[in-house]
Structure formats: C-alpha cells, structure tokens
Amino acid sequence: MYYAVLTQLKVRAFQKSSLRFLLTLRPHTRRSIEHRVGNCLFSHKSLEDSTFINCIMSSNQREDVKEAVTAAGQAHLLDDWDRLSRDERLHLTADIQEFDLAYVNSSYSASKSIAAENKRPPQPLQEVTTLKDLGHDNADAWTEAGYKLIAEGRAAVLLLAGGQGTRLGSSAPKGCYDIGLPSHKSLFQLQAERLIRIQQLAAEALHGQGAKVRHPVRWYIMTSPSTDAPTKEHFKKHCYFSLDPDQLFFFQQGQLPCLTPEGNIIMASPHALAKAPDGNGGVYLALAKSGALHDMQSHGVEAVDCFAVDNALIKLADPLFLGHCHSHQTDCGARVVAKAHPEEKVGVFARRGAHVEVVEYSEMDPQEAASVDPSTGELRYAWSNVCMHYFSTAFLMAMADQLKQQGQYHIAHKKIPSKDGPVQGVKLELFIFDTFPMAQRVSLMEVARASEFAPVKNAPGSASDSPDTARQAIMSLHQRWVEEAGGSVSSPEGIEVSPLVSYGGEGLDQLCKGKTCQSSLDGALQGKQQ
C-alpha cells in the first residue's frame, strides 16, 4: 500500500527517517492512516514530503505508540513527546517499535531469576577427543567425510565479526586489520583465501584432480551496526577477495535496550533509547531474523563451522572437525586447546550435572581452576574455550525458536549514558556457548594451539594475544611447513605461505624440496609464477 501511495504522491526526496518510520508501522496503524488521510493523498498529487508526514504524525499514531509502551510499563519513554520535533518523533517511534517490549520485560525477569539461582559446582570434563586419540584411521575417515560435506554444499562457515579494532588502535572493523604480515593481508583476506583453498581441496577430494568447485561454501558474516557498512565496503573494495559475492551473506547482530535495575528502559536522549549489542549469542536470533537460517535450509546446509574474526590462525571449514562432528550427529561442538598454564584467564569446558557448558574463569575458585588430577598429573579443568564452534543447522533453528519465546541473558551492571548523564544500569547479553547445555549431543575435539589459535585482542607490542604474537605464530607455523616439505628458511623472521597455495601445509613438496627461502615473502609460496 505505501509503495502505491508514494508513487501517487511522486515524492522526489522522501527523507530516510520518514521511510524508516513507515516501515515500522504496525498493520492496524497503517490501516488507520489510510482511512484518515487516503482522500487527501490521492487528491493532492503534488504534496510535499513534510505535508504527508505531518498528516500521518497524527494523534492516532501517538496513541498507538502510547498504548504499546503503557502496556509494557514503559510509559516514561514518551515523557518528552510534546517537546520533540517531527523528525525526533519519527526516530523515537522507530526506536520503540524496533523492540518487542513484552519480550524485553519477560527476558529481564527470567534473567534475574536465573542469576539468583544457586548453580551446581562444575565438574571436570573427560569426553574430549584429544590429539593422542586422533589415530590415522579415524582422522582420515573424518577428513574424508568433511571434504564430502564441503564439496556437496552441505557445510557452511559462520563468522562473528561485530567487533571494532579499538584496542588495536583502529576504528575500522577488526577483520580489516593488518597484523603486519609481509603480504599485509587483512584478517578478512586471510580467511577468504583459506576458504577458496579448502573448497578447491574438497572438490578435488570428491571429484578428482583439477575438479571445479560445484558448490561454493556459504559464508555467513555477522556484523554489528557500527561494522556493517565498513565491512561490506572492505569486501567490495577488494573484489570479495576473488570469492563469488553470491556465496556471502552479511547480517547484523541484534541489540537490546539498556535498563535500570528496576527494568525501566533508559533514554539515551529525549528521542532515543539507550541500546547495546545483545552479545555474540545474539547470533541465533539474528540468523533467524535476517533470513540466514532460511538461506541455509534452501542451500541444503547441514553443518556450520563458527569462529571469531580475531583468530589469525583459524582453519575455517576444517574438514577433520566438520567430519568428526557430523559423523557423531553432533548438535553443537567445539575445537578446544589445552590451557597454556594453570592461571590462564580463559573459560573452560566442564560439566554441571548431565550438561556440558563453559565456565568462565571469573566463576571458578583460582585453586580449583589450577587443580591437578593426581592420577594423571594434568589439569582437571584443562580444555579452553576459544570460540571455534560447530552447529548443526537443526540445532541453530531450534535455539532461535526457543530464544524467540523468551531470552535468558547474562545481566551486566554498567554505567549507561543517558539523557540525564551516566546512570547505573543493566545490559543484557547472551554468549554463543550459553546454548550448549541445551544440546543432546556435544562433541569436543582438541587442536594444537600453535597451528590453530592466535588471537588478536591486545594492542601492538603486548606480550600476548597481540598482532605481533599472531604474526609470529603464522610465520613460525609456515616455516615448519616449508621444513617438513624438505626446504629451509634463512629469513630470521620466518616465512609467509599464501593460503591460496596451502591450507594446512599440503602441496608444498614440489615448491620447497631442496630450496632455501631467503625472503619472508617468497614468490613461489605466494602463488606467483617463477
């Protein structure tokens, strides 16, 4: 109806805020506007935008919003309505109608109840497929199964890319960051090129040497309001790193209103709600809301490899991990690394009752976290959560449906900027691993830290988890690849191998055997013809 109205009006410069308002109107409000101003609309074809908007910003529209906020016990959201301009009213209306206020209320109540519960103490977890357990027969079978999933289009990858590089000294999305490799590739480019390589390896594993990729791997990229546009622009600027643009699906992480401890929504300004991201666990609802889950279904995706943008060594779509989890009919799973030392501040996988979950280091007594099993001499809580997860598509759908009914969030007490200055408030956050206790089948598989985990979290120059340590991890790993292929490296900083040349050290014998690489950026290892 509104497209027809706009066509009749021939509005030449319909303001973005006005269009946003129209799209947020509820059906019965739209019908009311149509009834009240319909004759006016069609009899004055040269009406200006302001006249049209003044018509629809009627008392009926205000009453509709008032009814919603009053029913939710949030009537204070309209306290400044009479002092707002037309555009400010549009903004406030859109802000309010962005959220299901009843859902916000019920989720906060449920979250408070859960926070008040006494949790069972965690127990050490034994059910982990360790590196020692990965015999050649099992590893080969799982890898073959993973290649088959990838080649047939039944596997996808899911990237959590909502963060900015603020702690790295950059205002750009973290995935755009250059960690200082000789090639100066961004984190996004490293991941894109690994995806290109693994889908080619999978095609050849299933269809023979030189086979073409028949089913490009679907890549779902979750951004945030602050990183969405620059992330898309980065991919476009670099021609999607030679990926098919159609295999990419960008979608935004959700937000929730910030609340007072009593549950009242905080106003950031007289015409805007205070909002905050709903945590990386918001991915479940965001996948559903954006249509990504439907896209997975329509493309026959069964298995999803999920990872964070700041892991410079991530082996996305690892066929061994995909095949291991899919073969075990896993609902959700994780690649885990052994704790670097007893005091390492990381969440660990543990059991509470019959369920597997992640216990944050802040939840554990330091002595318990560092305790050793006397029978093995190893840490009792050894398996770190490093945000490398597996999900079946069915599990993602089930969690989205469950969370739509009522969210159960962590309550973070923070100072919230408001129209009256900073106030003590609450942010509601969900972590992606919060759903693990709801899974029937969980699979954990150990991977080597040195070859799969190099986080980029701290500022350059930091002793750990920095661009410098991640860069060195990559170049040290690649030097080992060259040496295992019969070559040597004389460059003191190591060497960089393009992901387009090798995904995990394969295919280097002919390039490296008997050769000494003097430069950290060897042309042949970057895929250049000699």
Side-chain angles (χ1 to χ4, degrees):
M1 175 63 197
Y2 285 100
Y3 291 108
V5 169
L6 294 178
T7 300
Q8 291 288 338
L9 288 172
K10 297 182 180 179
V11 176
R12 296 177 181 177
F14 196 81
Q15 296 177 351
K16 181 183 281 190
S17 61
S18 303
L19 180 58
R20 184 182 177 202
F21 167 75
L22 285 173
L23 294 175
T24 64
L25 290 177
R26 296 175 180 176
H28 68 273
T29 305
R30 294 180 185 176
R31 287 192 294 271
S32 176
I33 292 171
E34 182 181 333
H35 174 73
R36 288 171 58 86
V37 301
N39 294 333
C40 169
L41 294 178
F42 289 101
S43 61
H44 295 81
K45 295 184 180 180
S46 63
L47 281 175
E48 294 296 325
D49 169 66
S50 59
T51 304
F52 173 67
I53 294 302
N54 283 334
C55 283
I56 64 173
M57 288 301 293
S58 63
S59 59
N60 264 22
Q61 185 269 327
R62 177 187 176 181
E63 288 304 312
D64 182 64
V65 177
K66 183 178 179 180
E67 178 184 340
V69 298
T70 301
Q74 305 284 357
H76 66 284
L77 299 181
L78 300 182
D79 283 352
D80 296 305
W81 181 273
D82 291 336
R83 292 186 290 275
L84 301 180
S85 68
R86 183 200 70 202
D87 285 347
E88 289 172 335
R89 291 179 181 179
L90 288 170
H91 189 283
L92 177 56
T93 299
D95 258 15
I96 292 171
Q97 296 195 335
E98 178 182 345
F99 302 105
D100 180 336
L101 300 183
Y103 176 85
V104 173
N105 288 346
S106 65
S107 295
Y108 183 46
S109 296
S111 302
K112 287 193 295 183
S113 297
I114 291 172
E117 291 178 358
N118 290 322
K119 291 186 177 181
R120 293 183 181 183
Q123 297 296 322
L125 185 71
Q126 305 298 330
E127 305 88 338
V128 176
T129 300
T130 67
L131 292 171
K132 296 176 184 177
D133 299 328
L134 282 174
H136 287 298
D137 290 342
N138 281 340
D140 289 347
W142 289 332
T143 300
E144 183 180 346
Y147 276 143
K148 194 170 190 294
L149 285 169
I150 295 167
E152 293 178 346
R154 294 187 288 137
V157 290
L158 170 59
L159 170 61
L160 308 178
Q164 291 176 294
T166 308
R167 286 202 288 180
L168 306 173
S170 170
S171 60
K174 192 178 282 188
C176 300
Y177 193 80
D178 169 9
I179 63 173
L181 288 169
S183 66
H184 294 289
K185 292 176 180 178
S186 67
L187 293 170
F188 281 141
Q189 184 169 356
L190 293 173
Q191 294 162 12
E193 292 183 355
R194 287 173 193 150
L195 188 60
I196 290 172
R197 177 66 178 167
I198 194 61
Q199 62 186 22
Q200 181 60 45
L201 289 173
E204 293 184 356
L206 196 64
H207 302 297
Q209 188 70 26
K212 291 184 178 181
V213 175
R214 303 181 185 182
H215 300 280
V217 176
R218 306 292 296 166
W219 190 3
Y220 300 91
I221 301 174
M222 186 173 79
T223 64
S224 64
S226 60
T227 65
D228 187 66
T231 294
K232 292 175 180 175
E233 179 58 33
H234 185 77
F235 273 81
K236 184 177 180 181
K237 177 182 177 182
H238 294 279
C239 300
Y240 301 94
F241 307 109
S242 298
L243 289 164
D244 180 351
D246 289 339
Q247 76 186 95
L248 306 179
F249 192 111
F250 296 92
F251 66 104
Q252 285 193 48
Q253 178 180 357
Q255 299 185 103
L256 284 170
C258 299
L259 309 172
T260 67
E262 296 74 31
N264 296 319
I265 294 174
I266 296 171
M267 297 296 292
S269 72
H271 63 278
L273 277 57
K275 302 179 237 181
D278 56 3
N280 61 14
V283 67
Y284 302 102
L285 289 176
L287 283 168
K289 183 178 180 181
S290 66
L293 282 181
H294 177 74
D295 185 84
M296 289 179 186
Q297 283 184 292
S298 65
H299 284 87
V301 172
E302 299 173 16
V304 179
D305 183 28
C306 176
F307 58 97
V309 71
D310 56 9
N311 182 1
L313 277 176
I314 184 66
K315 291 177 69 176
L316 65 166
D318 175 22
L320 171 60
F321 180 56
L322 285 168
H324 173 268
C325 291
H326 191 267
S327 297
H328 286 86
Q329 298 183 315
T330 299
D331 295 319
C332 61
R335 283 178 270 183
V336 299
V337 299
K339 286 176 70 172
H341 53 83
E343 293 77 28
E344 186 179 16
K345 293 183 176 181
V346 292
V348 293
F349 282 94
R351 278 200 174 275
R352 274 202 173 103
H355 303 296
V356 175
E357 61 180 78
V358 173
V359 181
E360 293 285 48
Y361 67 87
S362 57
E363 298 178 56
M364 296 190 71
D365 176 86
Q367 285 188 321
E368 178 71 3
S371 62
V372 172
D373 184 341
S375 65
T376 63
E378 297 180 348
L379 289 172
R380 296 174 70 238
Y381 298 95
W383 305 116
S384 302
N385 170 45
V386 289
C387 198
M388 292 192 282
H389 301 311
Y390 169 96
F391 299 104
S392 71
T393 306
F395 182 77
L396 290 174
M397 294 175 62
M399 291 303 98
D401 288 342
Q402 185 167 330
L403 290 168
K404 282 177 190 176
Q405 302 305 314
Q406 180 176 280
Q408 296 180 359
Y409 296 88
H410 296 273
I411 297 174
H413 295 276
K414 306 278 187 179
K415 284 287 186 181
I416 308 294
S418 79
K419 66 177 184 178
D420 301 314
V423 297
Q424 190 63 40
V426 164
K427 293 181 180 179
L428 300 178
E429 300 173 331
L430 189 70
F431 301 140
I432 193 167
F433 52 76
D434 285 335
T435 60
F436 273 54
M438 304 173 197
Q440 295 296 314
R441 293 173 296 276
V442 177
S443 295
L444 304 180
M445 189 181 84
E446 182 189 6
V447 295
R449 182 185 292 259
S451 60
E452 296 205 33
F453 184 56
V456 184
K457 296 182 181 296
N458 299 326
S462 300
S464 63
D465 298 348
S466 70
D468 312 273
T469 58
R471 178 177 63 252
Q472 190 55 53
I474 289 177
M475 298 187 72
S476 296
L477 173 65
H478 291 184
Q479 180 169 334
R480 293 196 297 274
W481 289 356
V482 170
E483 292 169 349
E484 289 168 2
S488 62
V489 177
S490 61
S491 169
E493 58 183 337
I495 196 166
E496 179 185 357
V497 178
S498 169
L500 297 173
V501 172
S502 184
Y503 173 84
E506 80 293 333
L508 297 179
D509 290 359
Q510 187 173 350
L511 296 174
C512 297
K513 192 170 184 178
K515 175 180 177 179
T516 297
C517 300
Q518 298 179 344
S519 168
S520 61
L521 196 65
D522 183 89
L525 297 179
Q526 292 301 308
K528 297 178 181 178
Q529 297 293 327
Q530 298 296 298

